[in-house]
Amino acid sequence: MHHAPDDSLSGAAQCSRSDDLSAVPLRRIPIQMRSRDKVSRALAAADRIAGREGVEALTLTRVAEEAGLSVGALHQYLPDRDAISAALVVRYHERIEMFMDDIIDRVEVDEIADPVAEVVGHIAAIYTDERSARIVRSVAALPGGLGRAHKARMAVKVCQLMQVCGLSDCGMTVARTVFAAADAVMHEAFGDVGESADGPDTDLLNELEAMIRAYLVNR
């Protein structure tokens, strides 16, 4: 049965290193430390606004005001709502990837009893974050193939997790299949988060765990 982990974090910016902007799609790459700090402040401000007021409030003027920056200073890096939302989605993806790295490290040291439930639970906790769910749905496609790159990295991490769990015969094709199935079901299960008070479809999450476990055991 699906259980969300107790140590989940909320807010895409909280689990990403604010000084690492290498993966964030920006109009211009900030070089100086002061410029990097401005972008990090803007992304943190955008995350707060999305949490309080929704994605629709992520205007350039509103984010600049919240971050204590001039519109001109922010425009050269994040020119509009689409750019701001895309940057937050990338931070959200980083957060999921960091959770996966943590799970892999813990399995290697502590031998988690049910890694499938652990993975589903951690990722579900991220999807439960209402602001993240809203932001992801607001972005049709990330620029420069960043969405595909995230999925490729996640498939590698799924493969690593299966390897440390003793599933040595599971290669990248299996990992890509498992991640693609999990990603699709997660989006379906959390499709209405932020739009209804019912919360995620836990029946789908439970079935996802059972499906992945059966697939890995019986293949």
Side-chain angles (χ1 to χ4, degrees), residues 151-195:
K151 291 181 179 180
R153 289 192 299 270
M154 285 296 292
V156 170
K157 295 178 189 300
V158 169
C159 187
Q160 291 172 340
L161 178 61
M162 292 189 298
Q163 295 288 333
V164 299
C165 287
L167 301 171
S168 57
D169 60 334
C170 294
M172 279 303 301
T173 299
V174 173
R176 289 174 59 196
T177 302
V178 169
F179 174 70
D183 187 56
V185 174
M186 284 288 187
H187 278 88
E188 182 68 22
F190 287 86
D192 293 327
V193 170
E195 296 175 5

Side-chain angles (χ1 to χ4, degrees), residues 9 92 95-96 99 121-130 132-133:
L9 300 177
Y92 165 88
R95 186 174 167 220
I96 295 178
F99 266 125
H122 274 291
I123 297 180
I126 301 170
Y127 276 73
T128 303
D129 180 3
E130 182 175 317
S132 297

Side-chain angles (χ1 to χ4, degrees), residues 35-49:
S35 298
R36 296 172 65 84
D37 178 65
K38 288 180 180 179
V39 174
S40 295
R41 284 163 53 195
L43 291 175
D47 185 65
R48 292 193 300 270
I49 293 169

Side-chain angles (χ1 to χ4, degrees), residues 111-125:
E111 189 176 350
I112 295 174
D114 192 345
V116 173
E118 190 80 3
V119 171
V120 173
H122 274 291
I123 297 180

Side-chain angles (χ1 to χ4, degrees), residues 59-202:
T59 64
L60 182 65
T61 302
R62 184 73 184 82
V63 172
E65 178 185 6
E66 176 82 12
L69 302 171
S70 69
V71 172
L74 182 57
H75 183 270
Q76 59 184 317
Y77 304 110
L78 296 164
D80 52 32
R81 179 190 288 116
D82 289 344
I84 295 168
S85 297
L88 289 182
V89 170
V90 168
R91 283 295 175 92
Y92 165 88
H93 286 168
E94 289 177 344
R95 186 174 167 220
I96 295 178
E97 292 172 24
M98 290 174 70
F99 266 125
M100 284 293 292
D101 288 337
D102 178 64
I103 294 168
I104 291 168
D105 290 342
R106 288 169 54 203
V107 170
E108 289 180 318
V109 174
D110 299 331
E111 189 176 350
I112 295 174
D114 192 345
V116 173
E118 190 80 3
V119 171
V120 173
H122 274 291
I123 297 180
I126 301 170
Y127 276 73
T128 303
D129 180 3
E130 182 175 317
R131 79 187 72 180
S132 297
R134 286 177 174 173
I135 292 167
V136 169
R137 288 200 302 273
S138 74
V139 178
L142 288 172
L146 291 171
R148 289 192 300 274
H150 163 66
K151 291 181 179 180
R153 289 192 299 270
M154 285 296 292
V156 170
K157 295 178 189 300
V158 169
C159 187
Q160 291 172 340
L161 178 61
M162 292 189 298
Q163 295 288 333
V164 299
C165 287
L167 301 171
S168 57
D169 60 334
C170 294
M172 279 303 301
T173 299
V174 173
R176 289 174 59 196
T177 302
V178 169
F179 174 70
D183 187 56
V185 174
M186 284 288 187
H187 278 88
E188 182 68 22
F190 287 86
D192 293 327
V193 170
E195 296 175 5
S196 76
D198 296 335
D201 188 331
T202 55

